[in-house]
Amino acid sequence: MISAEENAQSAQNMREVLYRAIAVPQSVSGRTQDIPREAEHMGTICAAGPKACDDIRSIYLKLPETTRAALVQAQGALERTVYMANDGHNTAFLLGYHRPHTAQEKLCAFSGCERLRNGLVEYAALHAIHDSHTITVKTEPGVYAEQAMTTYDGQSWRVLGEHDHYRQTTEFTCGPVSLLNAMHRLHPQMAVNRVDELHIWREATIAVACEPYGLALSAAKRGENPRIVVSKTGPVLNPAHGAMGMIDAAMSRDVQEHFATEARKIGVPIDITSFTAANVARRLDGGHVALVLIDEHVMHGVTCPHWVTVTGELADGTLLVDDPWIDEPYGETLVDTYQLPIRQADFDLMIHYDEPASAQAMVIL
């Protein structure tokens, strides 16, 4: 005989669950009235008819306060989606982060009815892939599993390696960290740490920023065989640009010329040619990785030169990028920056920092 408790559980399991995905406007200021009623997408499962859910405006208030603060802080820099599941009695919420011009969504900040968690995560992943044309969906630890997970197809999940990615510990060491992550990719046994990060920065800096010739010299010093690709001769980074944070433009120019002279002296191959994302992909043949100079504005909303490591590509040509920068105040973590898929058309938007004053640049290992 089936007990009353089992009957109740069966009825609960058969209850229709209504799912919603609500895009959070970039202009959201933390006030619930900034979330429009019409910005929603609905999907249902089970046989029962649709049921009323909480007002969309109240959904925002039910998110954890720290999550709401991150949404406000990140306005204009991240695309955000609130996912909701409601079975008529219980509600659960999940937040999705999506960097502009990338093909990945991160699911995080789950709250509400625990029983609705797995179905909500699965709905959010499918929504991101089918409605947002996302390739990779990742979850923060505690949302779906004990460790962060990733998928290329919405189905097969794998554990994110503990030492697969190292983040920059300063605002200006993206170049050294991109180099260290590239070397770690080629030599997994190699440890990556802050001591080496700062040491390489001291070797390769031209006053705050690092440029390709200095980074190539640091790579060669550590036993690598780098190749430099730049779109023109002369200094790669324009030291007069305000975003560079240069103190002495003449010194920065002279240091770049010195690095270039030293690179030629030790025989580092140098290709003077402009390039596209497709050219970057072709340079990865044979197990190579590439440090590529990009403009942060496309992903972060701030115009600034930035180095990332391109480690490979997917079957459709989408590039896989390790970004050393994590926007912690916006709610980002390592999950957002490790093996970030970026379609070639989007990457083409990133690889033209300050042209024609500055040049395109990459270092291939």
Side-chain angles (χ1 to χ4, degrees):
M1 254 185 97
I2 299 176
S3 67
E5 182 178 348
E6 288 173 327
N7 274 326
Q9 183 62 49
S10 176
Q12 179 78 4
N13 292 339
M14 289 298 294
R15 185 175 292 144
E16 174 205 26
V17 179
L18 178 68
Y19 294 101
R20 288 182 179 179
I22 303 100
V24 179
Q26 293 294 340
S27 60
V28 68
S29 65
R31 301 173 301 172
T32 56
Q33 57 263 40
D34 285 336
I35 299 182
R37 292 175 181 272
E38 64 273 11
E40 61 176 296
H41 171 85
M42 294 186 182
T44 59
I45 60 173
C46 297
K51 294 186 178 181
C53 291
D54 293 345
D55 187 88
I56 295 174
R57 297 166 191 256
S58 70
I59 293 174
Y60 191 57
L61 285 176
K62 293 182 180 180
L63 292 171
E65 184 176 350
T66 55
T67 301
R68 284 188 280 126
L71 292 180
V72 174
Q73 180 77 10
Q75 61 178 334
L78 289 174
E79 297 175 14
R80 291 114 350 131
T81 303
V82 176
Y83 297 100
M84 185 193 77
N86 183 286
D87 65 1
H89 292 273
N90 300 297
T91 306
F93 302 94
L94 187 63
L95 182 66
Y97 278 154
H98 181 94
R99 280 190 182 183
H101 295 284
T102 69
Q104 171 176 291
E105 179 149 335
K106 180 187 75 172
L107 304 177
C108 62
F110 174 85
S111 62
C113 177
E114 180 69 28
R115 188 181 55 78
L116 298 175
R117 176 193 299 258
N118 288 352
L120 181 57
V121 170
E122 291 167 5
Y123 165 77
L126 289 174
H127 177 272
I129 289 170
H130 295 302
D131 289 30
S132 304
H133 307 291
T134 295
I135 294 174
T136 299
V137 176
K138 296 177 183 175
T139 64
E140 284 284 15
V143 170
Y144 195 79
E146 293 181 358
Q147 290 182 291
M149 311 293 278
T150 181
T151 176
Y152 292 145
D153 57 10
Q155 301 294 327
S156 53
W157 302 81
R158 71 178 178 83
V159 176
L160 178 67
E162 182 180 357
H163 302 294
D164 284 337
H165 187 53
Y166 177 78
R167 59 164 296 179
Q168 64 190 86
T169 63
T170 76
E171 292 190 2
F172 45 82
T173 48
C174 56
V177 172
S178 291
L179 174 57
L180 287 169
N181 280 329
M183 294 171 62
H184 175 68
R185 175 72 54 174
L186 297 172
H187 317 289
Q189 73 280 5
M190 186 197 83
V192 180
N193 54 60
R194 179 175 165 84
V195 171
D196 290 333
E197 173 188 357
L198 297 181
H199 195 172
I200 293 174
W201 177 77
R202 290 196 302 269
E203 294 175 352
T205 187
I206 58 172
V208 182
C210 292
E211 52 83 78
Y213 294 98
L215 290 171
L217 288 169
S218 291
K221 183 178 179 180
R222 288 161 178 78
E224 302 295 339
N225 296 300
R227 174 180 289 271
I228 298 170
V229 182
V230 291
S231 59
K232 68 177 184 179
T233 58
V236 169
L237 292 174
N238 172 23
H241 197 290
M244 294 296 297
M246 300 302 183
I247 297 174
D248 187 326
M251 180 194 74
S252 299
R253 216 174 274 115
D254 291 343
V255 172
Q256 291 190 75
E257 291 175 357
H258 170 72
F259 282 154
T261 299
E262 290 299 305
R264 290 187 178 92
K265 187 181 296 184
I266 67 171
V268 175
I270 302 169
D271 299 334
I272 309 297
T273 181
S274 59
F275 56 85
T276 65
N279 299 140
V280 175
R282 283 194 288 271
R283 297 278 185 167
L284 302 177
D285 290 344
H288 293 286
V289 294
L291 285 64
V292 182
L293 182 69
I294 68 168
D295 190 337
E296 276 199 291
H297 185 269
V298 178
M299 279 196 293
H300 301 285
V302 177
T303 298
C304 187
H306 183 56
W307 288 96
V308 296
T309 308
V310 183
T311 64
E313 60 179 321
L314 301 179
D316 66 353
T318 298
L319 299 174
L320 294 175
V321 175
D322 284 347
D323 186 349
W325 180 253
I326 298 174
D327 272 320
E328 285 185 333
Y330 298 173
E332 286 193 341
T333 64
L334 180 149
V335 176
D336 296 271
T337 61
Y338 169 80
Q339 292 294 272
L340 180 64
I342 302 177
R343 291 184 173 88
Q344 291 189 16
D346 290 303
F347 203 65
D348 276 327
L349 301 175
M350 303 178 188
I351 56 178
H352 298 281
Y353 170 76
D354 190 35
E355 287 186 309
S358 297
Q360 287 185 296
M362 67 174 156
V363 179
I364 302 159
L365 300 185

